[in-house]
Amino acid sequence: MLNIPSNAVTVNVRRMGGGFGGKETQGNQFAALAAVAAKKLKRAIKFRPDRDEDMSATGKRHDFRVDYELGFDEEGRIHAVDATYSARCGFSSDLSGPVTDRALFHADSSYFYPHVHLISQPLKTHTVSNTAFRGFGGPQGMLGAERFIEEIAYAVGKDPLDIRKLNFYGQPGSGRTTTPYHQEVEDNIIARVVDELEDSADYRARRNAIVAFNRDNRYIRKGIALTPVKFGISFTMTAFNQAGALVHIYQDGSIHLNHGGTEMGQGLYTKVAQVLADSFQVDIDRVKITATTTGKVPNTSATAASSGSDLNGMAAYDAARQLRERLVAFAAEKWEVPVSEVIFLPNRVRVGEIEIPFPDFIKQAYFARVQLSAAGFYKTPKIHWDRKAGRGTPFYYFAYGAACTEVTIDTLTGEYLIDRTDILHDVGRSLNPAIDIGQVEGAFVQGMGWLTTEELWWDEKGRLRTHAPSTYKIPLASDRPKIFNVRLAEWSENAEATIGRSKAVGEPPFMLAISVLEALSMAVASVANYRVCPHLDAPATPERVLMAVERMKRV
């Protein structure tokens, strides 16, 4: 905006209360206006829009329409998919290109399509420019795939879960491992995740009980659904898969950490600090994290694509590795012991037969003129993507999960309750189980809001009318499932060399909420004795549920 070099601008990002994608581009207009005003007026400028202005002016998740044709056999096995994904993008391109690309990357969900033709259509409209939101097109693509499964299940008269399992990607060598974008699914654990949840949630017995309940109740109906998640982890723009970190160790043994990731309540600062503390075997209180700033770590990628811990954790680990190698070499020379006899223990270092408190060890290294500062760097290996050819390996690995949800609807009003949800989610070897379970719970509730209550409505002039909490209904604490069981797949370990063999947890659990929409769909379908696919579109507000029930009555 000001035509000045990047070295003349320092961007500091303090902890945010939340991000969910809106931080990627939506702050740009306010930052640009503030920069111009500051330059012109030669004084500090702050923009702070109120909630109504913010909701009206900033972009939303893209709403999609999916038109599709499916080929399948009498068992329900998919043979061919031809689908077009049209998205309302708003008045400018913003991030709509990569968002609609990522929708296609997840249009297969967890399913193998032997023959497939997918097209995205980003559509310019006279509404606010839509942008990134948790999942970045992946949820819309995955929701379309679950509708495919639902259509087939009703057409062949089977439980949708059986159709899902029939169409899962297979194990290596099965001939059913190639995605539509020609990446091989080598780490597939979806069948195990789904089988374990099916058993622990007692899905079969509960579904039979629900079918019996619906047969005996005229106005109140129930539904249950178990849906899978397979989500690719990495930026599909290969260049963004890089990160830096700066680590200093001071004379007193305290550690300073700065990296390119931003903290928005997802626990990134804590996880990366844990990586550093573990590397030196010191208490985490010894590690001080400072606000993300381009003055310390330049050329940072967005904290997005669920890759914050993967990228910045590995960059911090690289910095720690450099420092450890210098410290080990110093100790081996000073005390004349083999390198193998220099071992970092909790808050101390063993050198041969002696043990030295970590602060004392660092002070001696300082007086020996050992460099106690390091810049770490990491770039994700193995990935590449040729967009023009539509093939490559855009994802380093996949994160998996499954959710089983039971609902109750009132067929006279369309109102409903979420009775119970059971979740089993794959985060590899968790860096911090408490943070990860919180991410899964929060993502599910947020996804539930996206698919049920959060309805956006524009007037004929393209103005958003649902621009305040009075008209835009986010989930309340009282809306969460009355019984909410969340577990991590503790047996899972990332096959790739990620930090601690962990997996990303930011976006993947968002799609677990598809189980809510599918359960509502079953409850609606019961009105016509499960003979017809309900075509219940999202968000499934009480009004839409009621209209779907009325369609079923006419059937």
Side-chain angles (χ1 to χ4, degrees):
M1 289 295 291
L2 303 179
N3 195 30
I4 56 178
S6 294
N7 66 5
V9 180
T10 300
V11 180
N12 300 304
V13 182
R14 297 179 294 178
R15 292 172 183 261
M16 292 174 275
F20 308 118
K23 68 196 176 303
E24 272 199 82
T25 59
Q26 295 300 288
N28 292 356
Q29 57 183 312
F30 303 111
L33 290 167
V36 171
K39 184 78 170 178
K40 177 77 174 175
L41 301 175
K42 294 181 171 52
R43 60 189 296 179
I45 299 294
K46 176 182 283 188
F47 273 86
R48 183 174 284 170
D50 65 28
R51 193 193 304 270
D52 290 84
E53 292 170 334
D54 194 324
M55 291 185 71
S56 297
T58 56
K60 320 296 175 218
R61 182 187 295 281
H62 296 70
D63 38 339
F64 273 60
R65 173 189 167 111
V66 185
D67 293 288
Y68 52 91
E69 288 187 80
L70 309 173
F72 55 94
D73 59 30
E74 62 277 2
E75 291 183 1
R77 184 178 285 103
I78 295 172
H79 288 271
V81 175
D82 188 355
T84 300
Y85 295 76
S86 304
R88 186 209 307 264
C89 298
F91 69 88
S92 70
S93 60
D94 198 86
L95 291 171
S96 294
V99 165
T100 50
D101 279 1
R102 202 172 184 96
L104 298 191
F105 281 122
H106 291 85
D108 57 334
S109 187
S110 301
Y111 313 115
F112 173 66
Y113 301 156
H115 305 283
V116 57
H117 180 228
L118 306 174
I119 295 175
S120 67
Q121 283 190 339
L123 302 177
K124 185 176 183 179
T125 57
H126 71 324
T127 51
V128 67
S129 188
N130 284 333
T131 191
F133 185 19
R134 195 174 194 168
F136 203 80
Q140 296 96 315
M142 205 173 289
L143 187 59
E146 299 306 331
R147 173 59 62 80
F148 301 166
I149 296 294
E150 190 181 50
E151 289 271 25
I152 295 168
Y154 284 103
V156 300
K158 291 185 176 180
D159 181 343
L161 179 58
D162 292 330
I163 304 301
R164 291 187 168 96
K165 295 171 75 171
L166 182 67
N167 286 286
F168 279 161
Y169 280 103
Q171 295 305 312
S174 66
R176 294 171 55 85
T177 59
T178 307
T179 66
Y181 43 94
H182 301 271
Q183 176 167 345
E184 293 299 311
V185 181
E186 299 172 338
D187 60 358
N188 186 13
I189 58 171
I190 191 61
R192 179 174 178 180
V193 171
V194 167
D195 286 346
E196 284 196 16
L197 183 65
E198 180 184 350
D199 182 59
S200 64
D202 199 18
Y203 171 81
R204 299 291 177 179
R206 288 169 59 199
R207 190 175 197 275
N208 290 337
I210 285 171
V211 170
F213 176 92
N214 290 341
R215 189 169 54 241
D216 298 334
N217 286 269
R218 184 176 181 184
Y219 300 118
I220 303 300
R221 297 296 175 95
K222 289 180 175 289
I224 189 171
L226 197 161
T227 59
V229 167
K230 172 184 132 291
F231 194 82
I233 304 299
S234 290
F235 288 97
T236 50
M237 169 65 79
T238 305
F240 292 167
N241 294 284
Q242 59 175 298
L246 182 64
V247 176
H248 305 313
I249 305 178
Y250 293 95
Q251 290 184 54
D252 61 356
S254 61
I255 301 172
H256 171 105
L257 166 65
N258 194 272
H259 58 78
T262 58
E263 175 62 58
M264 61 201 85
Q266 85 279 38
L268 176 63
Y269 277 12
T270 300
K271 283 187 172 182
V272 181
Q274 282 181 277
V275 169
L276 214 54
D278 185 64
S279 295
F280 294 109
Q281 288 292 291
V282 297
D283 295 336
I284 196 169
D285 294 344
R286 193 175 288 278
V287 180
K288 179 178 177 61
I289 313 163
T290 52
T292 306
T293 173
T294 56
K296 290 184 178 179
V297 178
N299 306 319
T300 57
S301 297
T303 306
S306 303
S307 63
S309 296
D310 284 4
L311 296 176
N312 296 286
M314 288 297 274
Y317 181 79
D318 179 56
R321 176 193 57 77
Q322 297 173 48
L323 290 166
R324 279 175 58 108
E325 288 177 356
R326 292 175 203 160
L327 291 168
V328 167
F330 149 72
E333 180 182 358
K334 178 177 174 62
W335 281 280
E336 298 181 345
V337 299
V339 168
S340 61
E341 292 186 17
V342 181
I343 302 171
F344 286 80
L345 299 172
N347 295 309
R348 62 196 193 279
V349 181
R350 179 186 294 160
V351 183
E353 298 298 320
I354 64 172
E355 292 188 2
I356 310 167
F358 186 77
D360 296 345
F361 179 74
I362 294 300
K363 186 170 286 291
Q364 292 192 52
Y366 166 76
F367 280 105
R369 295 187 295 181
V370 176
Q371 184 186 5
L372 296 175
S373 180
F377 180 77
Y378 176 74
K379 60 179 181 179
T380 309
K382 296 185 178 181
I383 55 174
H384 60 91
W385 173 241
D386 184 337
R387 189 177 187 276
K388 186 175 182 180
R391 62 174 62 218
T393 303
F395 302 122
Y396 190 31
Y397 63 87
F398 296 95
Y400 298 88
C404 179
T405 295
E406 180 179 335
V407 302
T408 302
I409 71 169
D410 184 335
T411 60
L412 298 180
T413 65
E415 294 174 290
Y416 48 82
L417 295 172
I418 315 300
D419 300 318
R420 174 178 168 180
T421 294
D422 296 81
I423 291 171
L424 179 61
H425 196 72
D426 161 40
V427 297
R429 286 176 56 186
S430 176
L431 293 175
N432 188 312
I435 287 176
D436 289 346
I437 287 175
Q439 283 285 286
V440 174
E441 292 173 342
F444 177 85
V445 173
Q446 187 179 43
M448 191 178 74
W450 165 56
L451 291 173
T452 58
T453 61
E454 297 183 37
E455 184 175 26
L456 293 163
W457 192 84
W458 286 271
D459 64 19
E460 68 283 354
K461 293 185 178 180
R463 295 174 298 188
L464 182 68
R465 291 307 196 181
T466 50
H467 55 76
S470 57
T471 50
Y472 185 78
K473 302 296 185 180
I474 63 173
L476 303 175
S478 57
D479 294 323
R480 75 163 184 76
K482 302 301 176 277
I483 300 172
F484 198 14
N485 302 316
V486 177
R487 290 188 299 121
L488 302 179
E490 295 179 357
W491 45 264
S492 177
E493 179 177 299
N494 199 334
E496 300 296 344
T498 54
I499 190 71
R501 298 287 178 173
S502 63
K503 287 188 178 183
V505 71
E507 293 166 307
F510 185 90
M511 279 69 71
L512 295 167
I514 293 174
S515 62
V516 175
L517 185 66
E518 290 292 286
L520 289 170
S521 188
M522 177 188 170
V524 169
S526 71
V527 175
N529 200 27
Y530 314 103
R531 295 195 309 273
V532 179
C533 184
H535 293 173
L536 178 62
D537 290 334
T541 58
E543 294 89 342
R544 279 194 171 147
V545 170
L546 181 60
M547 288 187 285
V549 166
E550 292 302 314
R551 288 196 298 271
M552 291 294 104
K553 288 179 179 177
R554 289 196 293 273
V555 169

